[in-house]
Amino acid sequence: MRITENLLSSRTLNDIQDVLRKYSDLNSQLTSGKKVRYPSDNAAVATRISDLDSRLREIERYKTNVETAQNYVNMYDTALQEVSSIYLRVKELAVRGANDTLTKEDKVAISEELNKINTQLVSIANTEISGNYVFGGAKNNQKVVEIDGSGDFKITVPSQANIRQKISVGGQGIEYGKTVYDVFVTDSGASIFGIVKRLSQAIESGDNTSIQNELGNIEEIQGKTLKNLAEVGATQRVLEMTSNRMEDFNTFSTEFLSNEADADIAQVVMELAMQQNVLQAALKAAGNIIPPTLADFL
């Protein structure tokens, strides 16, 4: 094949363009720290990077959901432990109030303590986090217990709203919520607020039969609370394990993404220096190969 000056010049310029292209790519990797910035750089790697980015965002959402659930569960744990202690105290007062040797003043004192306990229970039932009532179920935007026109404490959450909160993590559903019906209402539908009020009135009036009836309700709701407390403890452990698993997934995915996307700076610097030398040599060779034109003498 006959090598003409035009062919030689064209090939030399194409080779210089290839070197400049490699030099530009390496310089882009050095300034951005990324091996692949656009799908056109490497479609397969860009797809994997996109999938990993989506996975990391998904993991972050899961971690946020788990952290929110943990905050609620920790609140449930604290509230239920306090409620359990209160129920034990109510039971002690009920047993004490059934004693026929008590004086009128003793009965009044017990009745007053029970009334204060009722107010404390209402305060716990209306516990809120960031404006949401934790025992409200599906109606967590309104107070759980309020005083009605008769001065009685009434649960305002309808039975239809007795729905426990859940989160979904990686396709796994975790139920973590507790409602007012779980903690403050017996299986037969008697609220602790009514139980304590009736017990207070029965002790003050010396009605031992009513005291015994309410004592049975207290024992029932106390057992129910202990069961819920055990469930909360189990949920805490599940959420902790789930959080650890999400953290492991996040670490693994981040490392994988780094391996796929991040440039090896030391290697890039070395290759960039080599391409710079190649470019200088190519330009020098081109200056000797490409013949001068009239423009070079102007």
Side-chain angles (χ1 to χ4, degrees):
M1 183 179 68
R2 181 169 176 268
I3 305 299
T4 64
E5 289 183 355
N6 287 339
L7 178 61
L8 188 61
S9 298
S10 177
R11 285 187 175 180
T12 301
L13 291 175
N14 286 338
D15 290 341
I16 291 175
Q17 285 295 327
D18 289 339
V19 174
L20 287 172
R21 192 175 299 109
K22 292 177 182 178
Y23 186 88
S24 176
D25 290 342
L26 290 169
N27 190 63
S28 178
Q29 290 183 35
L30 185 64
T31 55
S32 67
K34 302 295 181 183
K35 288 187 291 188
V36 176
R37 298 181 65 185
Y38 308 104
S40 57
D41 296 336
N42 190 320
V45 173
T47 300
R48 289 199 295 272
I49 291 173
S50 178
D51 291 341
L52 286 169
D53 278 335
S54 299
R55 181 59 175 166
L56 283 171
R57 287 193 295 270
E58 186 179 37
I59 290 173
E60 285 300 322
R61 287 196 299 271
Y62 288 152
K63 287 173 63 179
T64 300
N65 291 341
V66 170
E67 288 171 1
T68 299
Q70 285 178 315
N71 289 335
Y72 272 86
V73 170
N74 290 337
M75 180 65 75
Y76 288 130
D77 182 63
T78 301
L80 286 172
Q81 288 191 44
E82 185 177 357
V83 166
S84 181
S85 299
I86 291 174
Y87 288 169
L88 181 60
R89 179 57 180 167
V90 171
K91 184 178 178 181
E92 291 173 351
L93 292 173
V95 172
R96 183 182 170 194
N99 191 336
D100 292 331
T101 62
L102 291 177
T103 64
K104 180 67 175 177
E105 290 75 14
D106 292 334
K107 292 179 180 179
V108 170
I110 293 174
S111 178
E112 289 179 353
E113 182 176 350
L114 286 171
N115 292 335
K116 291 179 180 178
I117 284 175
N118 225 3
T119 303
Q120 185 179 1
L121 287 170
V122 170
S123 176
I124 296 172
N126 286 328
T127 299
E128 58 179 313
I129 297 178
S130 302
N132 294 324
Y133 294 90
V134 299
F135 292 107
K139 287 282 188 179
N140 60 5
N141 60 342
Q142 66 181 41
K143 270 192 172 182
V144 176
V145 181
E146 291 184 344
I147 301 177
D148 64 8
S150 304
D152 296 329
F153 294 122
K154 295 294 183 181
I155 295 174
T156 60
V157 177
S159 57
Q160 297 86 347
N162 184 26
I163 301 172
R164 296 179 181 134
Q165 297 184 69
K166 296 181 180 179
I167 58 170
S168 178
V169 181
Q172 175 191 5
I174 302 175
E175 184 180 87
Y176 68 90
K178 294 295 176 184
T179 71
V180 64
Y181 292 96
D182 293 324
V183 183
F184 301 96
V185 179
T186 65
D187 291 334
S188 58
S191 77
I192 186 62
F193 315 108
I195 293 170
V196 172
K197 181 176 181 179
R198 291 192 297 272
L199 180 60
S200 173
Q201 293 171 343
I203 291 174
E204 192 169 357
S205 64
D207 186 354
N208 286 348
T209 301
S210 296
I211 292 175
Q212 291 299 322
N213 291 336
E214 300 305 337
L215 186 59
N217 286 330
I218 292 167
E219 289 176 344
E220 179 187 344
I221 202 168
Q222 185 181 24
K224 190 176 180 181
T225 300
L226 291 174
K227 179 184 175 183
N228 280 295
L229 192 56
E231 290 176 355
V232 166
T235 303
Q236 281 179 315
R237 289 188 290 274
V238 170
L239 289 172
E240 184 178 355
M241 289 187 293
T242 302
S243 178
N244 292 337
R245 190 169 75 253
M246 289 299 105
E247 195 63 43
D248 290 341
F249 284 164
N250 185 67
T251 301
F252 170 77
S253 298
T254 301
E255 290 178 354
F256 194 8
L257 179 61
S258 178
N259 292 335
E260 289 285 356
D262 294 347
D264 186 339
I265 300 301
Q267 183 178 355
V268 170
V269 169
M270 183 178 65
E271 292 182 2
L272 192 61
M274 183 179 68
Q275 290 299 324
Q276 193 171 19
N277 291 333
V278 170
L279 179 60
Q280 292 298 326
L283 291 173
K284 184 176 181 181
N288 295 328
I289 293 173
I290 299 176
T293 64
L294 182 60
D296 295 316
F297 298 99
L298 295 179

